[in-house]
Amino acid sequence: MRVLHVSPEVRTLNKVGGLGDVAFELPKALAELGGAETAVVAPLTGRAAELMEVGPRRGGPLFELCVPLDFRCHRVEVRRVELEPGPEIWAISSPLLDGKPVYPSSEAEGLTTTFPLLALSVLEGVSRGIWGEVDLIHVHDWPGAMVPLFARFHRYYGGLEWPPFVLSIHNMAHQGLYDPGVLDEWHLHGRVLSVEVGEFWGKLNVLKAGIVLSSCVLTVSPSYAEEIRNPEFGFGLDGVARSVGYKLFGILNGIDEGYWNPSTDPHIPFNYGPSDLEGKRRCKELLLEEMSLGPREGPLFCVVSRVVRQKGFDLLAQALPEMLASGVMVLVLGSGERELVDGIRSAARGFEDRFKLLETFDEALSRRIYAGSDFLLMPSLYEPCGVSQLIAMRYGTLPVARRVGGIRDTVVDVDEGGFGFLFQEYTVQALLGAFRRALSWYRERPKELELASRRAMTLDLSWRRAVDQYLYVYNLLRRR
Ligand code: ADP
């Protein structure tokens, strides 16, 4: 069975968040553990072009395609990318994508061109067989949802036959809303704007169309598949989610346990495993030294995240003064919305010796932080799955997190024999309650805390179970 994954981001090329990890690791696991033939197609955006120039094996253009957009024919190159061992990755390269951000937010950044170009390249490539005989197209988030949309309503491609589509929703908040004026530019039939398909308050909603047009809709955790049926988490599409309940399921993400492995990770100063946490203690010492943080014997709480409202940064800003006043250290790695970054910084004012915010995206640094911290703070407003808490757990760093979405499905509270400190309500008091529990375990129950840490490290977080579930879905749907 040959499955083509289509994603706006993929690790090694242009990762921004968890989707970048999943778009890399899931196809790899499907191939290695499930025997499926997989390939990933992503646009050459973000830092990708730079990497392609310096990578060990540059991806040369293997195919050239012409795709029709905005009344012109655009030449795109399809390149095979091999920056690291992993799945078969194909990058779509075009002058229209050069220097553009992974997620454009304005016309000048490519809002109306990037993902239509990706979708058209996929359809043109599939129709020409450049990826072989494709049995199923698995698209990710609203940028991927452009593919089923164009496959059905494009004036040319809409008349052809396509393999079935599976849509994975990694974040329901982002839907791809466009003024109907783009339909002409994209050569789409006006029927797409019917309320049964893509119409949403007078606009075209790409995610909605993708949900309607895909044979199966998946979310990245079972809890999130339930939550998006409610107004609180559905972002206006909860009714649509309810109406497609018969084809909507959640499959919990895993992580690549070979790639995220403290006993072999070459990016951390000392390797360690669940049977010997000495290396973790030494990683912490070095990290505190590197970050000039103290007191050395106190607990270190970290955050590794995009700085956006979804991740609970407003709660964190309100809770920080009390947290820091109680003597802990907090290290934040992430960049994002200016207002939230400033909020965090000003909340920590006066505690410069105990607090650091690093406004950068750096995977090697993130690994040192996961390894050297005691706790991961993750007070998410909503969380489709969450990859950060999985990596943290693998490195023996215990989540202090809100019981929501994928966190609910992956983190068990210490009071229930688990390895996390969970809270329910999205309030500062609730967050502080979980924080105080973590602190008291650190100070008063160190042996039990260490056991919890070992428990987290020995969990099966692999893709094994997910692969079986994806294959089950694929086999039901594939072209026979
Ligand atoms: P998201 O909602 O952003 O997808 P996830 O928890 O699912 O959140 O995944 C985040 C991924 O991005 C994890 O692999 C995390 O380690 C990584 N990440 C987030 N911010 C940074 C950063 N500033 N530097 C390095 N890695 C980061």
Side-chain angles (χ1 to χ4, degrees), residues 9 15-21 170-171 253 260 304-306 310-311 333-335 358-366 370 378 383-389 391:
E9 56 171 298
K15 169 179 161 181
V16 172
L19 173 53
D21 290 315
H170 301 255
N171 196 330
N253 280 341
W260 304 107
V304 180
S305 173
R306 293 178 297 123
Q310 178 202 337
K311 301 294 179 178
L333 172 64
S335 56
L358 301 156
E359 247 185 295
T360 172
F361 190 95
D362 183 336
E363 189 181 296
L365 176 57
S366 78
Y370 285 122
M378 204 162 168
E383 196 54 77
C385 178
V387 171
S388 294
Q389 86 278 17
I391 303 173

Side-chain angles (χ1 to χ4, degrees), residues 367-386:
R367 288 165 180 269
R368 296 203 294 284
I369 294 176
Y370 285 122
S373 300
D374 299 294
F375 302 101
L376 173 89
L377 288 165
M378 204 162 168
S380 302
L381 183 58
Y382 63 93
E383 196 54 77
C385 178

Side-chain angles (χ1 to χ4, degrees), residues 53 90 107 136 196 300 325 327 362 441:
E53 297 311 318
W90 297 85
E107 189 74 36
L136 205 133
E196 286 80 21
L300 174 61
D362 183 336
W441 273 61

